[in-house]
Amino acid sequence: MLLHGASERAQRDPASDGDGDEPRKTGHDIHFLSRLERVGYGESDLALRLYRDPALVEALFGERGVPPDAERIAIPLGDRAEPPHVVVARGGAFVTCLGAEMAITDLPVVPFDRLTIQLLRSDEARARRERAGEVLDDRKATRRLYDRLLRAGLGLTREEFQQLAAIAPVLLPAFIEVMVDVRQELLGDLAPRVGRLKRGRMDESLCRYFWMSAHALGHLMLLTSLGGRRDVERWAVKLGELNGFEELYLRTAWLGDGPLALKAFWAVGRAGKVALPLIKHALGRSRSLESWGIRALALLAIAARHRRLRAEVQGTITLGHLPEELHQGERAGRFIHIFQETLKWAAQHDGAEEPEARELHLRLIASTAVERGEADLAQWVRDPLAPTRAALMPLQFIEREPEVGLLRMVAAVAALAPLPADRFYPPAADVALAPEFSVEAVLEMASFARPDGPVHAAPRPGRNDPCTCGSNKKYKRCCGT
């Protein structure tokens, strides 16, 4: 019902994404349309495309070099020396069309290469909406896809995730609602129950439900952060005044499961600037090297994805910013050295193109995360599915060998944070790469909620005592019946 309601809301308001095809009828627009005769056939097609795409024009007003208080901009209709331009007012009204060599006066001009980039982004957004429409039109298929999201565990395929990503902008409110609910159930109810299980008395159905819920949360974290800061700001209000990145992403990383934690770190990295001050503040409050390491990994994901934020992260992950109680021994210095070296490596290889970029990234992962000989390593780094293999490593990086695990996570986060989210998922033909459900893995994930001593049942009230639910009835006539 949640998905059904969200899709109906989207269908009632098809122009909510700003892509309506009806031109706005204002005096400016009529004047603009009458001046299209000043330009050639192909240039007029581009001018009309801009006219029909308010979201694209709004994006051009946000380009670097356009003053934030600019009321009008000139948009070139070609890349020649003196092309014709359209003049657009903030708010979307098209003022006029200027022929080649006509004076632009002092209007800010959007570079043609930036227009080309925004046109490509607009094409991609339109294609995503068309794919979303195809999925949403088949409600049975949408329901099956939603059920897979909640129950597939690590077996969700790349094709299924791409379909979910296509409908994510339409169903974002529903996905946010489900994500917050799953997080509350997983960490507030399921983890303590699984943590109390004894190995000789397993409840496999409870463990399997925990497994599916944990990985459903991972899928939802990716889907609700695909839009970056815009999407994150929509779910952050659900957690009130809490540090949402700490309460959602990093508490999930505390489960210690490699594939799940890597999704959490990717989502923090996607949020970028909005997450950075909150994670930095949390880093300074760390009370163990493991909690410091998890927060530092989140900062590493931000730095790996956003080169402009890298210097700030490098200045934060230092001994000078480490709480004094964590300075003892050599572990802290070794961790910080690894983080700094990884950040330097990321800076050196910014902008590298495929396949060289993939090989550089994957050699870093392979050198720390995969035990292979040199011959196997050379073959492994050329594998197109190597990022997915790294994202699916069955690694418990907190409970089992925490120092080795954290170092392996450093390599994986640096390599995966800049990549598209669908790299976390195997193609349907290679779904066997995904680790299967394991009771042992679930027990390790829930170990943080394991009680330190014996668990005692709460005292049961007498039959004639007031019921503990507050009904003012006797226990035997209320909850004790």
Side-chain angles (χ1 to χ4, degrees):
M1 292 300 293
L2 192 61
L3 288 173
H4 175 67
S7 68
E8 282 195 341
R9 286 195 298 275
Q11 291 169 4
R12 284 199 300 270
D13 187 19
S16 61
D17 59 4
D19 191 42
D21 287 333
E22 290 298 320
R24 296 169 302 285
K25 293 177 173 57
T26 71
H28 280 316
D29 293 347
I30 294 171
H31 178 81
F32 157 75
L33 292 170
S34 69
R35 295 297 185 269
L36 279 178
E37 62 187 18
R38 293 173 172 171
V39 304
Y41 181 78
E43 294 162 337
S44 65
D45 280 350
L46 176 54
L48 287 171
R49 175 174 175 182
L50 291 165
Y51 181 67
R52 296 190 180 105
D53 197 338
L56 173 58
V57 173
E58 183 181 355
L60 293 173
F61 267 94
E63 281 289 343
R64 282 174 291 177
V66 175
D69 58 347
E71 291 300 321
R72 295 182 177 184
I73 58 173
I75 305 172
L77 298 179
D79 59 351
R80 51 196 170 102
E82 294 184 348
H85 292 77
V86 294
V87 177
V88 185
R90 188 177 294 275
F94 275 64
V95 178
T96 190
C97 184
L98 301 175
E101 302 181 9
M102 290 184 69
I104 302 173
T105 64
D106 57 351
L107 290 177
V109 179
V110 177
F112 187 76
D113 62 333
R114 297 306 304 171
L115 171 62
T116 302
I117 290 172
Q118 292 294 351
L119 287 168
L120 290 172
R121 289 176 179 172
S122 177
D123 288 340
E124 291 172 0
R126 185 182 295 273
R128 285 196 299 269
R129 287 192 294 272
E130 290 174 355
R131 289 197 299 270
E134 292 171 3
V135 175
L136 291 171
D137 284 345
D138 187 342
R139 296 195 175 182
K140 288 184 178 180
T142 303
R143 172 55 63 182
R144 286 195 298 269
L145 192 60
Y146 179 64
D147 288 343
R148 286 286 295 165
L149 165 67
L150 296 181
R151 295 180 173 84
L154 286 174
L156 194 72
T157 67
R158 183 173 297 179
E159 293 83 356
E160 289 169 330
F161 180 81
Q162 288 169 343
Q163 287 183 303
L164 287 162
I167 63 176
V170 178
L171 300 183
L172 185 62
F175 285 162
I176 291 171
E177 195 79 29
V178 175
M179 178 181 69
V180 173
D181 289 346
V182 171
R183 172 256 183 199
Q184 181 59 38
E185 182 182 28
L186 182 73
L187 301 178
D189 177 42
L190 290 176
R193 288 171 61 192
V194 174
R196 288 194 295 267
L197 292 176
K198 296 182 179 179
R199 294 181 186 272
R201 298 172 60 188
M202 278 296 101
D203 184 342
E204 185 170 325
S205 62
L206 176 62
C207 289
R208 188 176 292 276
Y209 184 64
F210 181 96
W211 166 267
M212 292 188 300
S213 298
H215 292 295
L217 180 58
H219 308 324
L220 287 162
M221 285 191 295
L222 293 184
L223 291 168
T224 55
S225 59
L226 291 173
R229 179 174 182 170
R230 181 188 67 246
D231 286 359
V232 167
E233 287 175 341
R234 293 185 67 175
W235 68 252
V237 297
K238 298 283 184 181
L239 298 178
E241 297 301 318
L242 298 173
N243 177 346
F245 299 99
E246 184 82 3
E247 290 297 313
L248 178 62
Y249 297 142
L250 302 194
R251 279 198 67 194
T252 302
W254 262 110
L255 295 174
D257 179 75
L260 179 58
L262 284 169
K263 293 183 179 71
F265 295 135
W266 188 94
V268 174
R270 186 71 181 87
K273 191 174 182 179
V274 68
L276 182 56
L278 297 170
I279 303 297
K280 284 175 61 178
H281 178 69
L283 187 76
R285 295 184 288 104
S286 302
R287 293 295 174 263
S288 70
L289 203 54
E290 285 71 30
S291 65
W292 178 91
I294 284 177
R295 290 155 177 164
L297 284 166
L299 291 177
L300 177 64
I302 293 172
R305 190 173 185 96
H306 304 276
R307 69 180 70 182
R308 293 182 181 178
L309 303 177
R310 191 166 298 143
E312 186 174 351
V313 172
Q314 284 181 303
T316 301
I317 304 179
T318 63
L319 278 173
H321 285 84
L322 189 72
E324 290 187 9
E325 58 266 36
L326 305 183
H327 276 241
Q328 297 179 357
E330 298 180 357
R331 293 177 66 207
R334 187 160 59 251
F335 277 5
I336 288 173
H337 174 74
I338 292 295
F339 275 101
Q340 289 290 346
E341 288 300 308
T342 304
L343 287 167
K344 290 178 185 176
W345 171 87
Q348 290 170 358
H349 300 300
D350 267 341
E353 299 295 332
E354 297 281 7
E356 291 82 7
R358 183 175 68 229
E359 185 162 341
L360 289 168
H361 282 83
L362 298 177
R363 280 193 181 279
L364 180 66
I365 295 177
S367 64
T368 58
V370 181
E371 300 295 335
R372 295 176 182 270
E374 284 299 319
D376 288 339
L377 176 60
Q379 181 178 359
W380 192 80
V381 298
R382 289 194 296 270
D383 182 359
L385 288 176
T388 305
R389 294 179 189 274
L392 294 172
M393 286 187 298
L395 174 65
Q396 287 292 329
F397 69 97
I398 292 179
E399 283 296 303
R400 187 188 304 163
E401 298 181 300
E403 184 168 337
V404 174
L406 279 173
L407 294 180
R408 290 181 175 181
M409 288 297 288
V410 167
V413 168
L416 292 167
L419 299 182
D422 64 4
R423 298 290 187 93
F424 283 85
Y425 300 91
D430 299 285
V431 73
L433 293 175
E436 296 182 355
F437 162 74
S438 160
V439 169
E440 289 298 318
V442 168
L443 293 178
E444 290 200 50
M445 290 168 70
S447 61
F448 78 97
R450 190 175 299 146
D452 295 330
V455 179
H456 300 285
R460 185 172 179 174
R463 285 174 53 77
N464 291 309
D465 291 340
C467 188
T468 54
C469 74
S471 66
N472 294 322
K473 296 180 181 180
K474 290 183 179 181
Y475 178 70
K476 66 181 180 181
R477 299 191 182 279
C478 188
C479 295
T481 55

